[in-house]
Amino acid sequence: MNNGITTRNNFNQNYNNQMTRMIDPILDGPLKEYEQRLLSFFVNIARISSLDHTTTEIFGYMQIYDALTQESLRDLTQTTFVENTKNQKKNQKAFSTSTISTTLRSLIQGNILTRGHIPSTHKFSYKLKSDVINFVYQDFSLIVRDLEVLDEFLINLQNQISEFSSQYPQKSQFLCQRINGVRNYIEVQRRTISEEKKYEFFSENIRSLKKEKEIIEFPPELVALEKMFISYNVENNIFFSNDTVLNHTFNYLQTRHTVTQNLIEQECSLSLSTISRKLSQLLEQNIIQSYPKVYQKSRIYFLQSISVAMLEAVIASDNYIYSWVDKFQESLTELIKNKVKLQKLPGYEHLVQKYSQILKTIDGFRSETAKLKKNLADLTKFLKQDSSE
């Protein structure tokens, strides 16, 4: 794939120019606080999106500086502010060379970064592939591709489940309806990102298939197909990247609708304390719900609609991004107001440009959120009508 890179000479020249501008003037002194505000933005988005912290921190620094070496990243991660239990800021321990190298390699494989040799040195520099600010380390073209592959897998899986419809009519239909929730999520994302309507929405109605607090038990044949579904989602980091435990926990809520901690413990051999933490995390993010605790009985958790829950989580993440606009505008105003004092510091102009670019990107991002909200509203309307039938 060309990706706009025409020749190796141009490639290296572009890197050389980029490195001359940004690698030497690592932001320091009064500008360090402004750098850390930007980094905090990226890290917090990743936290609420359940993305990997280490990858996000390195990705955040790449977004701030545009191009960096491994050595520069090691120095930067050593100056990252973290808060201790008393909310006092201190510097964290620098990431190891192997951690940085592995993370950079994964970002290259994820189509986020490219690597170029720095002329007259034995070093390589790493640069973002796109000049457009991205808020998370995911290539949206790859997201669409992966969702289409997932959809094909789900269609095939539903066909296999349907082969047991005469033997287990109610439970086969139940499992297919639960998988329909994932397919509805894919369809909304398809209509939002690709602006393509491929299918009408699918029924997720299970009211006639189980009682309200009933915990479904599948026969062995359907358990095997359920495990295929869960394994695929966990191995491909569907919904929750780089957290296999959270993915396992969440996927049993997808397929069963209603679970207890004991059920998940039996199915995936995780400790109850670990399961409890993950369920609490999902509750805090308003992705799942639970019934009131009954004395001497296990708490019952449930996931009503996977499609609606995850799409609302995406919108919540978008809203969090918008909540930073005033903070960024305030920081930009401070930088401009103190120009006389700060403009001689290395990286000042770049930092002003970066804040302006992020504000402009956020403003343009609003139209995408509006499309997502519209498509989610269409889905919600469909599901409401479907549940009343």
Side-chain angles (χ1 to χ4, degrees), residues 15 18-19 21-27 35 57-77 100 104 113-116 118 123-128 350:
Y15 267 92
Q18 189 72 46
M19 296 303 291
R21 288 200 308 273
M22 285 314 302
I23 285 302
D24 290 332
I26 293 297
L27 297 169
E35 172 214 76
E57 187 169 324
I58 289 176
F59 170 77
Y61 276 124
M62 294 302 307
Q63 287 288 354
I64 295 167
Y65 286 94
D66 297 332
L68 291 165
T69 62
Q70 288 195 33
E71 291 80 4
S72 297
L73 278 166
R74 180 171 172 79
D75 291 342
L76 282 166
T77 58
I100 293 171
L104 289 171
L113 300 181
T114 54
R115 186 181 80 157
I118 303 174
K123 297 181 179 181
F124 290 92
S125 62
Y126 298 82
K127 181 178 181 295
L128 293 165
H350 174 83

Side-chain angles (χ1 to χ4, degrees), residues 312-329:
E312 287 180 344
V314 173
I315 291 173
S317 178
D318 289 357
N319 289 336
Y320 179 78
I321 290 171
Y322 302 136
S323 74
W324 277 74
V325 169
D326 289 344
K327 300 175 189 176
F328 285 150
Q329 190 60 63

Side-chain angles (χ1 to χ4, degrees), residues 294-305:
V294 177
Y295 181 65
Q296 290 189 335
K297 287 189 177 182
S298 298
R299 182 182 292 276
I300 297 175
Y301 302 84
F302 65 97
L303 172 61
Q304 196 65 39
S305 168

Side-chain angles (χ1 to χ4, degrees), residues 104-122:
L104 289 171
R105 190 160 53 247
S106 73
L107 289 171
I108 290 172
Q109 293 170 349
N111 208 36
I112 302 298
L113 300 181
T114 54
R115 186 181 80 157
H117 178 253
I118 303 174
S120 304
T121 73
H122 297 291

